């Protein structure tokens, strides 16, 4: 048997390089994340091809937004199934919980969905990354812009979880820093069906704006019910820290027109974003939001780092990920900091009116663009123990 044939057989016997997409597939965040993140990850794997002689395989699982479920899945994936990297996570609580498993085993996690800025703060690790947005950037973009638009008093409604805690903290901080005054806050259970009491409480304060730290189906339900209570018609603005293009599409422009929101990506920004969106649409029959597009970006950069490092060892690859610039359709020369935060451009959007829209998915217009350095927490203020000060 020839040497070349032996080498070929050895390469063919190499186990696949497995990447796990851990998302909410059936719970409150399923529409905003779910299979859309899986499809984007699969597109990235297909585009990249084999790495180090190994086929790239995308596996996925449903956390139903439960941290204990995510921990059990992560343990099985790493200890039994040979998964090398996990992305997605669906929520901040899930991301924080899964990280305890992955970092202890020297495996990489790239959070694309969870938003808590603690992920690159006190909960950072050498093999962990935060890829798309975080509560600090959302709060800075929305909180400050809302006050500067004239709504100098605000009331905050947020989910009672890790994301809501960070969102409320950061949102109030930036609202006050911009010259606004907080008239109170309330925390609501995830998957709340009836927001009437919370809406009435916010209306009773006569705050000029209601800041919303809700996500997924929760934000959809709230905005629908706020419309029934004529919140906007009554003179109060709605400003959402986390509303995706997919949420706006689900609600329609009549209900959401004028809403301020932050995204790191919009499908119609330029030729590159439109080209990716077209491919995604062919599989999903809808346009992607920032976190779904972010799954592509995360997988692509991870595979680029594996190839450059010549190994799938988590700590070695993580160091290479911080060394290499991030370049893809949603990121131009992005830099990964030592705390794991990817610095990327961030946008303040406003939802178009029905009269401004030219088609079903023509929904947003850019109000402001921030660089990564402008949008995210300065490294000098990070609570990450990896940061040298």
């Amino acid at each position: 048997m020839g040497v070349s044939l032996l080498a070929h057989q050895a390469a063919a016997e190499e186990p696949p390089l497995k990447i796990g997409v851990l998302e909410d597939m059936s719970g409150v965040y399923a529409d905003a994340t779910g299979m859309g993140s899986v499809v984007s990850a699969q597109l990235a794997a297909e585009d990249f091809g084999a790495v180090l002689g190994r086929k790239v395989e995308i596996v996925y699982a449903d956390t139903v937004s439960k941290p204990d479920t995510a921990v059990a899945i992560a343990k099985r994936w790493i200890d039994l199934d040979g998964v090398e990297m996990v992305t997605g996570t669906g929520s901040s609580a899930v991301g924080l919980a899964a990280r305890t498993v992955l970092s202890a085993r020297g495996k990489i996690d790239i959070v694309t969905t969870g938003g808590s800025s603690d992920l690159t703060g006190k909960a950072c690790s050498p093999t962990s990354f935060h890829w798309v947005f975080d509560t600090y950037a959302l709060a800075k973009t929305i909180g400050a812009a809302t006050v500067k638009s004239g709504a100098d008093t605000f009331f905050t409604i947020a989910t009672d979880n890790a994301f809501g805690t960070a969102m409320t903290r950061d949102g109030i901080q930036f609202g006050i820093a911009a010259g606004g005054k907080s008239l109170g806050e309330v925390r609501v259970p995830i998957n709340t069906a009836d927001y009437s009491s919370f809406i009435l409480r916010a209306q009773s304060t006569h705050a000029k704006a209601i800041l919303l730290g809700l996500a997924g189906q929760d934000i959809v339900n709230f905005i629908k019910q706020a419309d029934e209570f004529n919140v906007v018609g009554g003179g109060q603005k709605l400003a959402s820290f986390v509303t995706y293009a997919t949420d706006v599409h689900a609600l329609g422009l009549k209900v959401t027109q004028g809403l301020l929101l932050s995204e790191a990506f919009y499908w119609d920004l330029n030729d590159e974003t439109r080209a990716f969106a077209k491919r995604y649409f062919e599989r999903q029959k809808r346009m992607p939001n920032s976190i779904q597009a972010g799954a592509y970006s995360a997988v692509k950069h991870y595979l680029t780092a594996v190839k450059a490092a010549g190994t799938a060892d988590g700590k070695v690859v993580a160091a290479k990920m911080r060394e290499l610039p991030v370049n893809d359709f949603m990121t131009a020369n992005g830099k990964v900091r030592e705390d794991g935060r990817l610095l990327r451009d961030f946008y303040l959007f406003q939802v178009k009116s029905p009269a401004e829209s030219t088609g079903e998915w023509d929904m947003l217009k850019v109000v402001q663009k921030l660089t990564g350095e402008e949008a995210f927490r300065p490294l000098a203020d990070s609570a990450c123990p990896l940061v040298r000060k």
Side-chain angles (χ1 to χ4, degrees):
M1 185 178 292
V3 173
S4 61
L5 181 57
L6 284 169
H8 177 77
Q9 288 180 338
E13 293 167 2
E14 283 290 319
L17 181 67
K18 292 184 180 181
I19 295 173
V21 180
L22 196 59
E23 286 285 21
D24 182 349
M25 304 287 180
S26 59
V28 66
Y29 302 132
D31 188 62
T33 60
M35 284 304 298
S37 295
V38 177
V39 166
S40 284
Q42 290 171 334
L43 285 169
E46 291 167 15
D47 288 350
F48 201 90
V51 60
L52 307 184
R54 300 169 66 179
K55 176 185 176 182
V56 178
E57 180 181 343
I58 304 295
V59 299
Y60 60 92
D62 183 3
T63 70
V64 202
S65 292
K66 294 182 178 179
D68 55 345
T69 299
V71 166
I73 293 168
K75 286 180 177 178
R76 186 186 74 239
W77 273 356
I78 303 304
D79 297 343
L80 301 177
D81 299 339
V83 170
E84 297 288 354
M85 186 274 274
V86 174
T87 190
T89 75
S91 74
S92 299
V94 167
L96 291 165
R99 177 166 293 181
T100 62
V101 174
L102 298 165
S103 61
R105 289 160 171 77
K107 300 297 182 181
I108 289 175
D109 75 273
I110 309 176
V111 175
T112 54
T113 311
S116 173
S117 57
D118 290 341
L119 287 158
T120 50
K122 61 185 180 182
C124 75
S125 88
T127 54
S128 299
F129 301 88
H130 206 180
W131 213 249
V132 180
F133 67 95
D134 66 25
T135 53
Y136 184 96
L138 294 173
K140 186 173 184 181
T141 306
I142 292 295
T146 301
V147 171
K148 289 176 181 177
S149 73
D152 57 2
T153 57
F154 55 89
F155 185 86
T156 306
I157 300 176
T159 50
D160 190 13
N161 58 11
F163 164 78
T165 298
M167 197 72 263
T168 299
R169 177 194 67 209
D170 294 342
I172 290 175
Q173 169 193 335
F174 281 108
I176 293 173
K181 180 180 180 181
S182 173
L183 299 186
E185 61 185 86
V186 64
R187 306 291 294 282
V188 301
I190 190 173
N191 217 6
T192 292
D194 183 3
Y195 287 98
S196 57
S197 64
F198 305 111
I199 292 171
L200 289 170
R201 182 171 170 183
Q203 287 180 310
S204 71
T205 67
H206 302 291
K208 294 179 182 178
I210 302 174
L211 304 183
L212 301 173
L214 310 171
Q217 192 60 42
D218 284 339
I219 190 66
V220 171
N221 289 342
F222 183 94
I223 292 176
K224 284 181 179 178
Q225 292 172 37
D227 183 58
E228 294 169 2
F229 279 82
N230 197 34
V231 169
V232 175
Q236 288 179 299
K237 289 185 177 182
L238 292 181
S240 176
F241 294 117
V242 188
T243 297
Y244 304 110
T246 44
D247 299 326
V248 174
H249 183 262
L251 286 161
L253 299 184
K254 185 174 182 296
V255 175
T256 56
Q257 60 184 311
L259 180 72
L260 293 173
L261 60 95
S262 294
E263 279 268 52
F265 164 88
Y266 178 52
W267 73 269
D268 200 23
L269 279 176
N270 54 52
D271 288 344
E272 286 186 292
T273 58
R274 286 187 284 271
F276 170 76
K278 180 180 178 181
R279 295 176 61 206
Y280 180 94
F281 190 90
E282 289 171 355
R283 298 200 184 185
Q284 284 295 91
K285 305 307 177 190
R286 62 190 310 182
M287 292 302 182
N289 59 32
S290 62
I291 53 180
Q292 291 162 342
Y296 183 105
S297 176
V299 171
K300 179 179 182 289
H301 190 66
Y302 168 73
L303 293 174
T304 300
V306 169
K307 182 178 179 180
T311 178
D313 178 86
K315 292 184 178 180
V316 177
V317 174
K320 187 61 68 172
M321 287 177 66
R322 286 174 168 84
E323 176 186 326
L324 297 173
V326 180
N327 282 296
D328 51 57
F329 62 84
M330 68 181 293
T331 323
N333 291 314
K335 174 180 173 55
V336 183
R337 297 191 316 200
E338 57 195 275
D339 63 350
R341 174 70 258 169
L342 169 59
L343 298 182
R344 59 162 70 254
D345 291 341
F346 219 71
Y347 299 88
L348 175 67
F349 290 103
Q350 187 171 40
V351 178
K352 292 183 176 182
S353 69
E356 292 175 297
S357 175
T358 59
E360 180 184 4
W361 287 93
D362 180 26
M363 302 175 294
L364 307 180
K365 54 187 176 184
V366 177
V367 176
Q368 183 182 13
K369 177 182 176 181
L370 289 80
T371 65
E373 287 78 7
E374 291 171 327
F376 294 99
R377 188 190 309 277
L379 194 59
D381 297 337
S382 175
C384 174
L386 303 175
V387 176
R388 297 180 295 275
K389 297 181 180 180

